[in-house]
Amino acid sequence: MNSNELLTLLKAIEAGKRSPSLALEQLKQLPFEDMGFAKVDHHRALRQGFAEVILGKGKTPAQVAQIARSLLRRKGSKQNILITRADGKIFSAVKRIARSAKFHPLSGVIAIQRNAEITGKGTILVVSAGTSDIPVAEEALLTARIMGNRAEHLYDVGVAGIHRLLQHGEQLSKARVIICVAGMEGALPSVVGGLVAVPVIAVPTSVGYGASFGGVAALLGMLNSCASNVTVVNIDNGFGAARVASSINHL
Amino acid sequence: MNSNELLTLLKAIEAGKRSPSLALEQLKQLPFEDMGFAKVDHHRALRQGFAEVILGKGKTPAQVAQIARSLLRRKGSKQNILITRADGKIFSAVKRIARSAKFHPLSGVIAIQRNAEITGKGTILVVSAGTSDIPVAEEALLTARIMGNRAEHLYDVGVAGIHRLLQHGEQLSKARVIICVAGMEGALPSVVGGLVAVPVIAVPTSVGYGASFGGVAALLGMLNSCASNVTVVNIDNGFGAARVASSINHL
Amino acid sequence: MNSNELLTLLKAIEAGKRSPSLALEQLKQLPFEDMGFAKVDHHRALRQGFAEVILGKGKTPAQVAQIARSLLRRKGSKQNILITRADGKIFSAVKRIARSAKFHPLSGVIAIQRNAEITGKGTILVVSAGTSDIPVAEEALLTARIMGNRAEHLYDVGVAGIHRLLQHGEQLSKARVIICVAGMEGALPSVVGGLVAVPVIAVPTSVGYGASFGGVAALLGMLNSCASNVTVVNIDNGFGAARVASSINHL
Amino acid sequence: MNSNELLTLLKAIEAGKRSPSLALEQLKQLPFEDMGFAKVDHHRALRQGFAEVILGKGKTPAQVAQIARSLLRRKGSKQNILITRADGKIFSAVKRIARSAKFHPLSGVIAIQRNAEITGKGTILVVSAGTSDIPVAEEALLTARIMGNRAEHLYDVGVAGIHRLLQHGEQLSKARVIICVAGMEGALPSVVGGLVAVPVIAVPTSVGYGASFGGVAALLGMLNSCASNVTVVNIDNGFGAARVASSINHL
Amino acid sequence: MNSNELLTLLKAIEAGKRSPSLALEQLKQLPFEDMGFAKVDHHRALRQGFAEVILGKGKTPAQVAQIARSLLRRKGSKQNILITRADGKIFSAVKRIARSAKFHPLSGVIAIQRNAEITGKGTILVVSAGTSDIPVAEEALLTARIMGNRAEHLYDVGVAGIHRLLQHGEQLSKARVIICVAGMEGALPSVVGGLVAVPVIAVPTSVGYGASFGGVAALLGMLNSCASNVTVVNIDNGFGAARVASSINHL
Amino acid sequence: MNSNELLTLLKAIEAGKRSPSLALEQLKQLPFEDMGFAKVDHHRALRQGFAEVILGKGKTPAQVAQIARSLLRRKGSKQNILITRADGKIFSAVKRIARSAKFHPLSGVIAIQRNAEITGKGTILVVSAGTSDIPVAEEALLTARIMGNRAEHLYDVGVAGIHRLLQHGEQLSKARVIICVAGMEGALPSVVGGLVAVPVIAVPTSVGYGASFGGVAALLGMLNSCASNVTVVNIDNGFGAARVASSINHL
Amino acid sequence: MNSNELLTLLKAIEAGKRSPSLALEQLKQLPFEDMGFAKVDHHRALRQGFAEVILGKGKTPAQVAQIARSLLRRKGSKQNILITRADGKIFSAVKRIARSAKFHPLSGVIAIQRNAEITGKGTILVVSAGTSDIPVAEEALLTARIMGNRAEHLYDVGVAGIHRLLQHGEQLSKARVIICVAGMEGALPSVVGGLVAVPVIAVPTSVGYGASFGGVAALLGMLNSCASNVTVVNIDNGFGAARVASSINHL
Amino acid sequence: MNSNELLTLLKAIEAGKRSPSLALEQLKQLPFEDMGFAKVDHHRALRQGFAEVILGKGKTPAQVAQIARSLLRRKGSKQNILITRADGKIFSAVKRIARSAKFHPLSGVIAIQRNAEITGKGTILVVSAGTSDIPVAEEALLTARIMGNRAEHLYDVGVAGIHRLLQHGEQLSKARVIICVAGMEGALPSVVGGLVAVPVIAVPTSVGYGASFGGVAALLGMLNSCASNVTVVNIDNGFGAARVASSINHL
């Protein structure tokens, strides 16, 4: 509710086009639809210009499907819908509502694509360190694409075999934003960050064992990166990284 | 050393313009100047397009001054020089070498501005939660400016008095990138992130006591932000946040 | 065993109404009933004026049922009985003893309501941040009600969509005590605390992943809240929050 | 900025009593005074009904004095002013502005009392475990008093000498709210919480060594209290505990 | 292998009663029997004067049975055998070898009692805080008994109902050693330690949730106990506590 | 306040020898002397049979001296007085009150010996791992002695030179209780515990650097000791270890 | 890609034996085979002179088999193949491709031995503390052997029965490298390190409970070892320890 | 005290060349000289074949000098003496005893070189990431040299400027052992480990701020290194790394 919008509404009241109590009602009801267990923010997609997103984890299949239906029902909207951290049961429920829904079991992503337009200006490159990091990398890749970005990937280029990474200099240098996904010591973003000038978004993964502490080692490594163009998101948060990358790529 | 550059060099060898051993020497000597205690990377500023930066902490005043002199001596370069985490002693040493150097004691920043051109496309807004967060916010602000960005600030708008923040909706909505600086519970980026569509770079500060654990509470809060356009840098790392923000703002 | 009660007893002895050894026995046996595996404190409900509570977790269905029967058997008592962290098996066992028992599977609460009188002075408002926080919020809501309070809820009003919260200003301002339930960064109590003058009891939840560390991020956020009318209970402790809220609401 | 106030303002606009742009300005300027380094929230004291509070830590003596002067200057206001975490230098600066200011060096509290009216309904009792916990306990005591409460204290009643506590049953039973201050294992609130029916606010202190980890042991102990009427504030946060206690005591 | 024994052996060599290489062999083979996967220390029971103990956890039923058989086979030995952290499968395997073996499923203890003599001088009292702490308390109780001690228990006397504990003053005062078992905030040993002069061995349990961190809160509480006659063993280590208590009780 | 004492008092009331209110007064005033900042528990030394102890840390020299005077003034008492964690200033203040006070600067212990009788039954042996652990070991040694025990020490016998320890087998085997003081990896108690049958009290020290985390590594090592006759006290708590050892040695 | 190799290639280009673009292609394709989900580094075995290793964990049986087939297919190569952290399903898939594959279920190791030559100069001795540490010790033992080393083991020689270790002095003194595997307090490497002059590689295991924190106690103990010839690898990383030991043993 | 030595001694007794009690005395007194505060292990240098080492930290200048004198006095010994973590005061005290002592203030190392023979077989290369890591790197370098190794260094080659490292391929490939010193994210050992086949000993440093947690981030990164020829020592432990490297280099 920023001041511009408030000003417009206040002017409408002054001009007699809206009664105060009606305006208040409008303010209260406009931005979301209350389903009891969730308040669906139809306004957000408009306000922030990206696809609708539903976090599948912690919701029942029925709840996810109900939210998806609400999003699909909105007139005039042609935005893509992304469901993250979903499973087969959620997909079955969603499939009934949206035939075109596609499920990516490795990353647990469901995508309902209604709009294939590329709106991002450049390419988002998703780089990951090991085979086990691919699920998180894929979540990032699919998120970036459904938000209207060209997105490429470069898998299994961990720093212990630095030549594998160095031989992709061209791909690195062409990306507008880079997402670096790595578990264990999380050193990849530092090396990548030193090779490029664009922003690097680091995603620690929970891959590893023992003193990796479920991704904490990678997270700390990334927060302490000696490359200064690196920022970090939560452990395994491929979605968040792609959301920010898309936001940057649309600037 | 990306593959394009390597290809060019290889072609020059093939064309007889360079001998292999000379080429190897060239490869080795080009990117940095070795001072024994430091290898100054003259190449980086060219490669990454921003001001030269010296981390003052952990270096003697003489070392900092010597690196600064090396940077100033390079012919043709007109880039700004930024020294972070400096103190009065470092400033005295630098002042002798660079008369125009300016010291900002609150944030410990020394700036040698040789070029006032604004090259960033939009405005970087630095928002901070409390009065005690200002030193970190100022580091971010000065870094953003010396890297060629328009940068504004909004101080003391913590979430416990949410109206103070909401009344700056216009400033928030005009920024191209937002840096959010907060200690204690680190909740500011979540609120700001929900109000805007642009990338928000969160800087946890070590402000607080007890269970703030020197910024850990704020760091964790920001990593778990329910606003998905938020990324995070290290505790008190105002410089890093501005470096990324500038990188984004120059895209 | 406070000194007033001791004095009364001592006076009864002096007056010859009680023999010393009998008095000692009485002191020893009065406050609880020893079942071997548990000492049921019949005295507590009298002393503290709220419903009887049994923590289901870590007890067998038979043990829970046995304690419940003991509570139901006490003559003259009409207090409600609350069983927390229960499951279907416990409910089956309890149902046999108390027909009126009701089970709320989402929150694992069993309620045996024998007294519907509202004894709390105002309204306890339970506010929660996300859909996944609802189980903990519901535990708080049901606890508040069975302890004789009017209790309302406001779900899915997380700070990343601050307008959803702000549009419930009236509900917030009418509450006598507010319980704030949030996982992830746990920022909700800071925002709510800044909007109201009444006490806010914050409940961190284990909702989240990665660096949420099972609720630690939310817990630390709440302990460091910049709103000073916020106190905190253990992670997922909806019962405890409501117990304190009820205690405040009965003052 | 709750919806009632917004409605009133909207009605004033509808009635022609206010122009929309003026109303917006009014909304923006009313609640605080911007000093650059701080936004003083004059509105808060009105909104939340307690004394003005300045956190001394992290501010210069001049800054504290400037904020104090701003608070003292406000016409019609007779509210008390409390400065926490202050030292002798801050006191000197404040003394020049407010002759009646009193400094309590043990707890670092400065109090400017302009109003001695008791507005709280009952007594707030501050109980502390050891001699070293007294500074935090005193901060709580002084805060409670300056916010208009009757407040008493009970020092050095740690649980290893349980009889010292038990002999104060009368004081415990007369309090309307109890603040429990303890370091080391932080067991006091559990024992006190079991003896009374009123809310107990637990303050862990950083007193201890080794595995006390600066108050973490006490904090965890209190969060896990087996007495369910206990809530917790940050380590050493005597002020916060008293602020909540006062809020409860004014209900 | 203390120096006395070495001297005896050296003297035997000097006296021609033993050849050096034989003596070395003897030294090497005496103290244990090598089973490949385990070196059973027959010597320990002699050296340390208590029952033979097998940790069931991490061993297969067959391995446990094989070790038990080896212990039972030793001629002349009448010592009791204790198997901790066992389950039904281990019990079946052991039962075949030792008919008199008894299984206590709550604590996972198997006892093979061959000697019921009481050798400890006084009584070991096991005190536990809540019903959920009983499994650990029982492990301690059974261990104490099989090691030849009189052992009693006092269950469900947590500090939030301090009167339940205080009414057992006689039992407390008669014990020669006290074992205190508690989860959650782990406050019980501090209170008990303050009431008695004998050594108190504190056992934190993993009972609790959220910020109990699997017993860490209780562990820290006990390490920071303000009662100075308290020492601590590992989380859930009822066996270890009883082993030390027995060692003390046999002095 | 155990039940025996209460019964005696109750009988005195019944017999008319005491009025109830007088009895209550007596109960309240007997066990300690209230100095405002401290409640000196004269009763404890009687109840627990050891020397009076004052923790110097966190108290002013004047406060320590005042408590010491109170202890010295008590008629008929000839108990020793021990002041731990003291410094030169505290010693100066105490010296004025007690001429015979002796200060041990390495461990910060002040001892006022009024009674040199040996009341402990055997010898307490203090074993420490490295030269840097000596201050903590000395605190243990002096505490053990002033509490009436024969106490010996064995310094610099860390496990990396196991022969240094093994050659003291005789001393180890003669001790009735052993205190093991070690920093770094804290392995000494495991080795010592395996060599003897008596109780071993392990004291982790904060000696070390880096991943010793101020004694945490040693603490965890000791809690996980594979020798089952080991219990643990807080980091650097030489006093506590000796207090328990003395308690055991007096059984 | 070290400078020697680059120089050779550059010289080949100068000599006309290679075109620059072909050289670049060669550089890019030589070191690994890209399978999409993995980039198999055929170059590494040549470069580092040991067996091929596949980490089974986090890969599907099909993926592991596909990588194994790729390694087996390479002409002229006779190197052994090691698959770690495998299970029965992986073994079934691998067995189809390599008949000679052997599975060791205790440690989850699959070995495909094609070359039994002993290339290491001395013996690698694997020492472990308890029966539960054997799986990790076996992983180390099998890895050492398949990499061409003589390797022996010494199991169940924990420090609480120090004589069991001391009687193996000859084996200890003959080893060229020692791997020490221990959980709980992780003290074994300190004792072993003090007895020998060769490098000791310590492997903490996740064996233990409570305050062992899944191997953290052992890890910290080993990092703080007072024996200075000890280095440490990750918790449960038997493979890594043997990899380094083999690397040392081949010097 | 390994079994070979014991056997020799036992044979000497059998042959009548030694009396048993004399042999025992000899065993006891041979390996160290007891100074009360320290047991100087003259035997270790013989047993382990490297220079004598004194840890300066935690000892007084007089203690260090006294130990140094004891080492210098031993007849026939020509071994070098190394004092780590020393300061100017310690150096003054040592200088009086050993004129040839040299002090390196950056790393706090004092070296008394009596023997310049190179006994190690190859070169130890010390590689460090940043200028601030040099003190730890220098401790490693000087230790390696005084233990008889050729040692070289390569400073300021952090992974964010990977070309600086890659251009030293020849130096990397010639080293027999590599020590990698790095703070912040500690990624250097992973990159170096992937480039070479020899053992890499990683030393995390406490360089960094915020979430580097005094070297913990680097430590965790190194423990989780994806390069399998990496082992780790304690934070800032340059000495330990060089001690192991020398041990390897002398094999």
Side-chain angles (χ1 to χ4, degrees), chain D residues 10-21:
Chain D
L10 293 170
K11 282 186 178 158
I13 296 165
E14 193 185 42
K17 291 178 187 161
R18 271 228 193 357
S19 78
S21 58

Side-chain angles (χ1 to χ4, degrees), chain D residues 159-162 166 184-185 187 190-191 194-195 209 211-213 216-217 220-227, chain E residues 159-162 166 184-185 187 190-191 194-195 209 211-213 216-217 220-227:
Chain D
V159 299
I162 197 76
L166 295 177
M184 303 181 76
E185 80 271 63
S190 294
V191 176
L195 294 172
Y209 61 88
S212 83
F213 299 128
V216 168
L220 294 183
M222 290 166 175
L223 285 168
N224 286 284
S225 176
C226 51
Chain E
V159 300
I162 197 75
L166 294 177
M184 301 181 77
E185 80 272 62
S190 295
V191 175
L195 292 172
Y209 61 88
S212 82
F213 299 128
V216 168
L220 294 184
M222 290 167 175
L223 286 169
N224 287 285
S225 176
C226 51

Side-chain angles (χ1 to χ4, degrees), chain D residues 23-225:
Chain D
L24 184 60
E25 277 318 289
Q26 187 179 7
L27 271 173
K28 281 190 180 167
Q29 285 160 13
L30 188 131
F32 56 82
E33 175 178 344
D34 199 328
M35 295 188 171
F37 61 89
K39 305 198 193 309
V40 180
D41 188 349
H42 294 306
H43 199 61
R44 179 164 46 186
L46 293 176
R47 204 169 64 232
Q48 305 201 331
F50 60 89
E52 305 279 359
V53 183
I54 306 168
L55 174 66
K57 192 191 164 205
K59 301 204 180 73
T60 63
Q63 286 178 326
V64 173
Q66 193 175 341
I67 298 174
R69 185 189 296 118
S70 158
L71 295 171
L72 288 167
R73 258 196 322 231
R74 292 192 61 231
K75 285 180 202 163
S77 166
K78 276 290 174 206
Q79 283 184 304
N80 296 327
I81 294 171
L82 179 76
I83 304 169
T84 61
R85 312 233 162 181
D87 54 22
K89 288 182 186 170
I90 290 179
F91 180 56
S92 300
V94 171
K95 187 76 181 175
R96 264 174 251 129
I97 286 158
R99 291 218 164 172
S100 66
K102 276 188 194 157
F103 184 41
H104 303 263
L106 192 60
S107 53
V109 165
I110 299 172
I112 308 176
Q113 183 142 10
R114 302 195 286 174
N115 186 336
E117 191 189 352
I118 297 293
T119 52
K121 295 185 184 165
T123 298
I124 294 174
L125 179 65
V126 179
V127 183
S128 68
T131 301
S132 314
D133 298 317
I134 294 181
V136 176
E138 192 187 89
E139 187 186 271
L141 190 72
L142 294 169
T143 300
R145 285 180 178 156
I146 208 152
M147 287 183 174
N149 302 281
R150 246 178 314 272
E152 295 175 7
H153 62 90
L154 202 51
Y155 290 165
D156 200 19
V157 289
V159 299
I162 197 76
H163 58 294
R164 295 181 298 187
L165 177 66
L166 295 177
Q167 286 162 15
H168 291 279
E170 200 167 329
Q171 245 177 313
L172 289 172
S173 67
K174 281 185 180 163
R176 197 159 187 253
V177 194
I178 294 177
I179 294 171
C180 255
V181 179
M184 303 181 76
E185 80 271 63
L188 188 57
S190 294
V191 176
V192 170
L195 294 172
V196 301
V198 297
V200 173
I201 300 165
V203 191
T205 70
S206 52
V207 165
Y209 61 88
S212 83
F213 299 128
V216 168
L219 172 62
L220 294 183
M222 290 166 175
L223 285 168
N224 286 284
S225 176

